[in-house]
Amino acid sequence: MKKEMTIVYDVHDGLYINLTNRCPCACTFCLRQTMDTVGQSGGLWLEHEPSLEEVKQAIDGVDLKHYTEIVFCGFGEPTERLDTLLQTAAYIKQVCPDKKIRINTNGLGDLVNGEPIAPKMRGLIDVVSVSLNTPNAEEYLKLTRSKFGAQSFDAMLAFAKSAGEQGIEVVMTTVDTTISHEEEAQCQAICDRIGARYRIRPWED
């Protein structure tokens, strides 16, 4: 019997949406290198990328009022499926207008889609959580192993700045086991310059 794939799953008090397993990065610390699930989720490796209708059906199967936020985050980069992401966000805003919507992203969506994407998120996405990872462009590439190469770090920062200009709350994160306290201070300075909030997150989060 084919195992049912996980499109939506709970983490803490949020409903998480798993749209894709595609990602332009292969981060050295990525959870999916060592596990198949997160929290109480089922397997996050998708048998196929769910259609918009399949995503809506999965959302309709839960009570959105039970969650403090809806988060696009799974075993892949959500902006790889930007159109489906935005259409899903619009649907959520329609059925539950006051629900906060967040994207957990590597911030490379402009490179993935070949154009600035933050303007398309205005009014649909409330928060973007961007993986800053390190204050150093060369070290960033070593950590993320982005297929886009040397342009990746600056593209990630440009996306974060653009999102803030669209009125979207921007949180930039590093993982607590990957950089020094000195580098964390440098990351804080980057966030201050961009106008983002800096968060140091646990590895399993």
Side-chain angles (χ1 to χ4, degrees), residues 141-154:
L141 192 55
K142 290 179 182 178
L143 283 173
T144 64
R145 298 181 288 197
S146 167
K147 74 176 187 180
F148 294 113
Q151 63 181 322
S152 300
F153 185 75
D154 287 344

Side-chain angles (χ1 to χ4, degrees), residues 2-205:
K2 184 181 293 184
K3 185 177 180 181
E4 185 176 356
M5 66 183 189
T6 302
I7 299 174
V8 299
Y9 61 104
D10 294 4
V11 175
H12 306 306
D13 54 1
L15 180 70
Y16 280 51
I17 301 177
N18 183 32
L19 290 181
T20 184
N21 293 151
R22 287 182 284 154
C23 185
C25 296
C27 296
T28 58
F29 52 85
C30 185
L31 292 175
R32 70 183 195 167
Q33 295 186 74
T34 56
M35 58 186 69
D36 296 326
T37 65
V38 174
Q40 301 301 310
S41 76
L44 294 177
W45 292 109
L46 295 165
E47 183 269 329
H48 65 268
E49 291 190 337
S51 66
L52 177 62
E53 291 308 313
E54 286 177 304
V55 177
K56 286 182 178 180
Q57 186 175 40
I59 291 170
D60 290 343
V62 300
D63 186 350
L64 293 181
K65 294 178 181 177
H66 289 165
Y67 302 97
T68 60
E69 63 178 347
I70 312 299
V71 185
F72 288 94
C73 177
F75 270 6
E77 166 53 40
T79 62
E80 288 273 4
R81 298 194 66 201
L82 183 64
D83 288 345
T84 301
L85 186 159
L86 296 177
Q87 290 170 325
T88 302
Y91 179 69
I92 294 167
K93 290 294 186 184
Q94 178 183 347
V95 299
C96 203
D98 298 327
K99 194 61 60 179
K100 180 185 288 187
I101 299 177
R102 168 162 57 101
I103 301 174
N104 287 357
T105 176
N106 55 34
L108 301 180
D110 291 358
L111 296 179
V112 168
N113 291 279
E115 62 177 337
I117 64 173
K120 297 183 177 183
M121 297 179 178
R122 186 181 183 93
L124 295 174
I125 306 303
D126 302 294
V127 184
V128 293
S129 180
V130 181
S131 298
L132 175 57
N133 295 313
T134 173
N136 179 276
E138 183 176 344
E139 188 61 27
Y140 175 89
L141 192 55
K142 290 179 182 178
L143 283 173
T144 64
R145 298 181 288 197
S146 167
K147 74 176 187 180
F148 294 113
Q151 63 181 322
S152 300
F153 185 75
D154 287 344
M156 175 268 297
L157 296 181
F159 166 76
K161 185 174 186 294
S162 177
E165 292 169 349
Q166 296 301 320
I168 300 168
E169 180 184 353
V170 180
V171 181
M172 304 194 79
T173 68
T174 58
V175 178
D176 61 5
T177 58
T178 58
I179 61 174
S180 68
H181 292 307
E182 181 181 358
E183 289 170 319
E184 288 172 352
Q186 293 169 357
C187 287
Q188 181 67 67
I190 289 173
C191 291
D192 291 344
R193 185 172 71 248
I194 289 177
R197 177 164 63 88
Y198 180 42
R199 176 174 177 253
I200 302 169
R201 63 182 180 87
W203 179 64
E204 287 193 38
D205 186 14

